[in-house]
Amino acid sequence: MKKTMFIILTAVVCGCQSNNQGNNTTQTVQPSENQATTTETTQTQSEPAIDMSVDWEKPLYTLDSETGDTLQKWVYDGNTVIEYSMGDYGEGSTTYKYDNKHRLVSENGYINMGNTHRSSMEYIYQDKKRNGTGSQSTDGDPTYTDIDEIVWYADDNFQIDTLVQTLTAEMEWEEDVEKDKEVESSTVKKYKDGKLIDETTYGGDYQNTKDLASIFRSRTIYKYNSAGLLAEETMLDKDGNPLGEYATTTYTYSDNKCESTNTGTGSITYYKKK
């Protein structure tokens, strides 16, 4: 599905940002009541002193550590954040808008990967729940994807998102009749002390499927350093084993730089806002 492609791209360019943020990133997902607690602290060994005057949640740009090429850059203007992509994954931008409570209210983006893919979403909040509506399309295609997204939160401030369900339907541009949407994916998140530590995605209806193994997609475990910053994330298969050579990404911090190193793809350096 087109939705899946955009999720992957977002993960690639935002990996070094905090996993529990306010008005700087796209937040989606949340769990049912039995998913709201976790079991153990996940913290890596202490690092050398980290400059906490740096706003580690606000990257300015990223560089490829080998070529020195700029891969992404971010522009902040009040309640609007624009993220530009210019690397191997295509060229484009996404504009995120937030309300005065630091809640994401809309995102609109495009990326050219030989042809241009477009996406848009708008969000409303009520009773620890966020409802999103939008679409994704590819220029020249006779169809587009109509999207509904439901996010449940564990807190009144809409920061601890625990379960997200994405429902989609393939539509033809000339169609007037609305099709019933089906659950394309469910993502469950677990937190410890306000930090995301466990995220599992299923390719179907998590709440109404008894055989979760049949719809399992991936699980990611997050670990943090002594300063509370993301230090490591590892993707696991359904049996809990690392998911191939690209499974683990580590993050190290110095001055205003965060270096992201993946076991399969190499390093990216994120420069943060002081």
Side-chain angles (χ1 to χ4, degrees):
M1 285 290 204
K2 299 184 182 72
K3 177 71 174 177
T4 304
M5 179 195 68
F6 280 93
I7 290 173
I8 293 171
L9 291 173
T10 301
V12 169
V13 299
C14 295
C16 221
Q17 299 186 34
S18 168
N19 282 291
N20 184 22
Q21 301 179 37
N23 65 331
N24 300 321
T25 58
T26 320
Q27 294 223 354
T28 36
V29 244
Q30 167 198 64
S32 53
E33 294 181 0
N34 66 341
Q35 297 291 336
T37 59
T38 55
T39 55
E40 58 182 302
T41 302
T42 53
Q43 182 172 308
T44 62
Q45 296 179 349
S46 297
E47 292 185 344
I50 295 174
D51 185 356
M52 297 307 293
S53 67
V54 175
D55 190 341
W56 293 108
E57 293 186 352
K58 284 189 175 181
L60 294 178
Y61 57 93
T62 67
L63 296 181
D64 185 295
S65 297
E66 293 184 1
T67 66
D69 293 339
T70 302
L71 298 177
Q72 295 92 29
K73 65 178 180 179
W74 287 260
V75 175
Y76 302 90
D77 183 10
N79 288 345
T80 299
V81 179
I82 304 176
E83 175 187 318
Y84 295 94
S85 301
M86 55 202 75
D88 293 338
Y89 296 97
E91 296 187 357
S93 68
T94 302
T95 299
Y96 303 96
K97 293 188 177 181
Y98 299 83
D99 62 18
N100 290 330
K101 295 182 179 180
H102 310 306
R103 303 177 303 187
L104 182 67
V105 293
S106 71
E107 55 183 293
N108 291 276
Y110 76 94
I111 190 162
N112 191 306
M113 304 171 66
N115 49 9
T116 300
H117 307 273
R118 304 182 188 277
S119 63
S120 64
M121 293 291 294
E122 294 187 357
Y123 305 100
I124 58 174
Y125 297 79
Q126 186 176 13
D127 300 328
K128 294 185 180 179
K129 188 176 177 181
R130 184 180 84 183
N131 290 300
T133 57
S135 65
Q136 291 181 349
S137 62
T138 300
D139 288 1
D141 279 4
T143 63
Y144 66 96
T145 304
D146 194 18
I147 301 169
D148 288 342
E149 184 180 82
I150 308 169
V151 182
W152 290 266
Y153 292 83
D155 66 318
D156 293 327
N157 295 322
F158 299 95
Q159 297 298 307
I160 307 298
D161 50 325
T162 54
L163 173 67
V164 61
Q165 285 197 328
T166 303
L167 299 87
T168 64
E170 289 297 313
M171 304 290 294
E172 296 182 9
W173 289 106
E174 303 301 326
E175 278 184 320
D176 293 328
V177 179
E178 183 174 345
K179 294 181 179 178
D180 292 335
K181 298 181 180 69
E182 297 182 354
V183 176
E184 180 187 324
S185 66
S186 304
T187 301
V188 181
K189 290 185 177 182
K190 298 180 182 179
Y191 291 80
K192 179 68 175 182
D193 298 328
K195 296 289 187 182
L196 174 65
I197 63 168
D198 191 319
E199 180 177 12
T200 304
T201 298
Y202 301 94
D205 192 341
Y206 158 82
Q207 293 175 313
N208 296 309
T209 302
K210 294 182 179 179
D211 184 11
L212 291 178
S214 66
I215 60 173
F216 176 90
R217 282 187 180 173
S218 67
R219 180 186 177 197
T220 303
I221 301 298
Y222 300 92
K223 297 182 180 180
Y224 299 84
N225 59 28
S226 57
L229 300 174
L230 181 63
E232 180 181 295
E233 58 184 69
T234 302
M235 294 185 67
L236 307 176
D237 62 21
K238 62 182 179 63
D239 298 317
N241 300 314
L243 197 60
E245 63 174 327
Y246 301 99
T248 300
T249 302
T250 58
Y251 302 93
T252 56
Y253 303 83
S254 63
D255 192 25
N256 69 325
K257 297 183 291 185
C258 167
E259 185 169 351
S260 161
T261 303
N262 181 271
T263 50
T265 59
S267 297
I268 297 173
T269 301
Y270 294 72
Y271 289 82
K272 303 289 185 163
K273 186 174 184 179
K274 283 192 172 183

